[in-house]
């Protein structure tokens, strides 16, 4: 892997890497924060999956996670949201194509050759991160918006890979939302039975999660109708799933919202990954 940048942060080390991805068939970039505790031995890891239009950089620079991670001794991983490059298929719309991988393995052209973010996150990048010095064996996952959708679906489908789970304003019911139906049909085809594996509300009803879940949602989020947090809350209730979904008064969908509750989420994961 090529080191693109490295900076000191809260006595830890924030590094950006680039590597050739076999899963996505192009170069991919991701970031890892190692807290100062990693100098003495392996530490638990919290993955953060970003939302539409984001790269690894958005949460790394605007999320405010490093200070809290240094306090609690957690490593952070910030993947990109899609494959990128001139050879990678794209769309004029912001919510499809580059920057909008939706954490699925595409089955339709022109997306199929590169858009394999499910395998990239759960297999290829997982293996690369595990090989870094200071990375421990216990992993948690969180994310925002499209990344919240990714965190919930990847964890419920792979409980052996993750030991804690949370989300910020996730796209909670994509099979019944314009943020979902458009992308799932483009990437996966018209068989809606295949879509269910990428819908956290449906996965909650079918499988649930092995531990408790933390979800924060801004009550003034301008995209509430697309996110449908009430569907996930109802599914958690029907399943009797341990966890809490908090509606945060006055908060919108921006990184001001994420930054405001980043400390809560890092502390929450640290307690469960210890």
């Amino acid at each position: 892997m090529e080191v693109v940048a490295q900076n000191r942060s809260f006595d830890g080390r924030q590094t950006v890497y680039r590597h050739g991805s076999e899963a996505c068939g192009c170069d991919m970039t991701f970031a890892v924060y190692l807290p100062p505790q990693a100098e003495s031995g392996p530490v638990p890891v919290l993955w953060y999956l970003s939302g539409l239009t984001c790269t690894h950089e958005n949460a790394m620079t605007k999320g405010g996670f490093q200070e809290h991670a240094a306090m609690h001794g957690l490593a952070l991983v910030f993947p990109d949201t899609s494959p990128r490059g001139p050879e990678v298929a794209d769309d004029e719309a912001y919510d499809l194509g580059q920057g909008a991988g939706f954490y699925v393995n595409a089955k339709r052209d022109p997306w199929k050759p590169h858009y394999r973010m499910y395998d990239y996150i759960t297999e290829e990048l997982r293996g690369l991160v595990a090989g870094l010095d200071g990375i421990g064996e216990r992993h948690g996952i969180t994310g925002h918006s499209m990344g919240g959708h990714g965190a919930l679906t990847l964890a419920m489908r792979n409980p052996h890979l993750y030991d804690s789970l949370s989300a910020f304003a996730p796209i909670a019911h994509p099979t019944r939302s314009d943020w979902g139906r458009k992308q799932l049909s483009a990437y996966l085809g018209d068989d809606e039975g295949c879509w269910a594996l990428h819908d956290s509300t449906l996965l909650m009803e079918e499988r649930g999660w092995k531990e408790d879940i933390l979800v924060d949602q801004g009550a003034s989020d301008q995209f509430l109708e697309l996110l449908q947090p009430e569907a996930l809350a109802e599914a958690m209730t029907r399943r009797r799933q341990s966890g809490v979904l908090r509606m945060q008064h006055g908060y919108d969908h921006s990184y001001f919202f994420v930054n405001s509750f980043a400390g809560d989420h890092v502390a929450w994961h640290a307690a469960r990954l210890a």
Side-chain angles (χ1 to χ4, degrees):
M1 294 186 295
E2 174 191 357
V3 174
V4 177
Q6 191 169 90
N7 301 91
R8 192 76 168 166
S9 178
F10 297 101
D11 292 327
R13 188 170 69 250
Q14 179 67 68
T15 307
V16 178
Y17 298 94
R18 181 183 297 118
H19 71 104
S21 168
E22 182 176 341
C24 296
C26 63
D27 285 348
M28 297 290 288
T29 304
F30 69 98
V32 174
Y33 175 73
L34 288 175
Q37 295 88 336
E39 296 180 3
S40 302
V43 298
V45 187
L46 177 58
W47 292 68
Y48 179 95
L49 304 186
S50 291
L52 288 167
T53 76
C54 291
T55 69
H56 70 279
E57 188 174 12
N58 296 75
M60 182 184 78
T61 59
K62 297 192 292 185
F65 287 93
Q66 289 89 342
E67 180 178 8
H68 306 293
M71 183 186 308
H72 292 282
L74 285 187
L76 302 169
V77 180
F78 303 102
D80 202 346
T81 57
S82 78
R84 298 181 189 272
E87 75 281 9
V88 176
D90 200 6
D91 191 271
E92 293 181 357
Y94 75 95
D95 57 355
L96 185 67
Q98 296 188 32
F102 265 77
Y103 304 101
V104 304
N105 288 339
K107 298 181 178 181
R108 300 182 73 178
D109 291 328
W111 317 106
K112 183 177 179 180
H114 299 286
Y115 285 77
R116 302 190 59 80
M117 291 300 294
Y118 181 90
D119 283 354
Y120 176 69
I121 298 295
T122 60
E123 297 179 10
E124 183 175 18
L125 187 56
R126 172 88 175 204
L128 292 175
V129 169
L132 297 174
D133 290 339
I135 295 296
E137 295 182 353
R138 291 180 64 78
H139 293 238
I141 190 167
T142 187
H144 174 231
S145 192
M146 180 185 72
H149 140 80
L152 292 169
T153 57
L154 267 59
M156 281 189 276
R157 291 181 63 185
N158 299 277
H160 60 291
L161 295 181
Y162 304 103
D163 301 292
S164 57
L165 172 60
S166 75
F168 298 81
I171 301 174
H173 201 11
T175 62
R176 293 296 177 265
S177 168
D178 288 343
W179 270 1
R181 295 188 63 82
K182 170 185 176 180
Q183 294 82 1
L184 295 176
S185 62
Y187 295 140
L188 303 178
D190 298 328
D191 180 5
E192 296 191 17
C194 296
W195 301 2
L197 290 173
H198 304 282
D199 187 307
S200 60
T201 294
L202 299 180
L203 287 171
M204 176 58 65
E205 293 175 346
E206 179 186 349
R207 307 185 185 196
W209 171 245
K210 61 184 179 180
E211 301 292 343
D212 54 346
I213 300 174
L214 172 63
V215 179
D216 273 309
Q217 172 63 62
S220 296
D221 193 314
Q222 60 270 44
F223 302 115
L224 270 176
E225 295 301 318
L226 295 168
L227 301 172
Q228 300 190 32
E230 67 280 1
L232 179 60
E234 291 167 1
M236 290 175 65
T237 301
R238 288 193 295 269
R239 179 106 190 158
R240 293 174 172 80
Q241 171 70 49
S242 298
V244 58
L245 193 155
R246 309 188 299 191
M247 296 296 293
Q248 301 290 1
H249 176 72
Y251 284 91
D252 60 15
H253 199 69
S254 70
Y255 266 95
F256 293 109
F257 159 65
V258 173
N259 190 297
S260 297
F261 299 100
D264 285 1
H265 282 249
V266 171
W268 190 89
H269 282 275
R272 286 150 181 80
L273 296 173

